[in-house]
Amino acid sequence: MTGSIFFQGWSGPVRILIVGVLSYAALVLLLRLTGKRTLSKLNAFDLVITVALGSTLSTAILDRNTPLLDGLVAMGLLVLLQFAVTWTMVRRPGLHRLIRADPVLLMAGGALRPDTLRRERISDDEVLQAIRDSGGRTLADADAVFLQSDGSMAVIQREG
């Protein structure tokens, strides 16, 4: 009984190898068929799909109670839904606004916008870090800082 937590026979590892390779190949094929957008990080919706795909792939590989076909169908469904929603977003601006967050101005003209920072749960130090990451040192080195749809910060450097 002691060894059972470390090794329970070869059927488990062999299943993981076979299902892992086949699941991975199917996922790569699905992603190639649906284009780059499927794994983009344009917004929170895209991130959720990426995480869900990873979780589904993991379940398909590791859960002995999940047949390979079920895992492949689940991954295909996620990719298909992602494709359908993004295809519709491009053609229906109202849906685009519903799913994707607009960029938010956090700092302009050397002054932070405290109400916006509080609402977005961003600290002054995080804005300063973004400015330093882009080559500046202080707030005065940037004309503006935006919180992008994907959660990253874009810094518009001050010229001069």
Side-chain angles (χ1 to χ4, degrees), residues 105-108 110-124 127 139:
L105 184 63
L106 301 174
M107 193 275 299
L112 292 169
R113 302 180 74 183
D115 292 341
T116 305
L117 291 171
R118 197 171 17 265
R119 184 178 66 244
E120 300 296 333
R121 300 180 318 278
I122 303 288
S123 70
D124 300 5
V127 174
L139 292 176

Side-chain angles (χ1 to χ4, degrees), residues 25-137:
L27 182 60
V28 168
L29 179 64
L30 279 169
L31 295 176
R32 291 295 296 150
L33 291 173
T34 57
K36 295 177 184 89
R37 172 64 192 256
T38 304
L39 284 183
S40 69
K41 60 174 193 163
L42 295 177
N43 58 52
F45 174 73
D46 295 321
L47 175 65
V48 168
I49 293 298
T50 303
V51 170
L53 275 171
S55 176
T56 304
L57 179 63
S58 173
T59 298
I61 293 171
L62 295 175
D63 185 359
R64 293 179 186 197
N65 296 320
T66 303
L68 174 61
L69 183 60
D70 290 1
L72 297 178
V73 169
M75 287 187 296
L77 177 63
L78 287 171
V79 169
L80 180 67
L81 290 172
Q82 204 308 358
F83 182 83
V85 168
T86 55
W87 185 87
T88 306
M89 278 175 41
V90 170
R91 287 153 183 80
R92 306 280 177 164
L95 182 61
H96 188 269
R97 284 188 294 274
L98 179 68
I99 291 178
R100 184 173 185 208
D102 290 328
V104 177
L105 184 63
L106 301 174
M107 193 275 299
L112 292 169
R113 302 180 74 183
D115 292 341
T116 305
L117 291 171
R118 197 171 17 265
R119 184 178 66 244
E120 300 296 333
R121 300 180 318 278
I122 303 288
S123 70
D124 300 5
D125 289 337
E126 290 171 309
V127 174
L128 284 167
Q129 181 64 49
I131 292 170
R132 286 192 298 272
D133 288 346
S134 71
R137 290 185 293 160

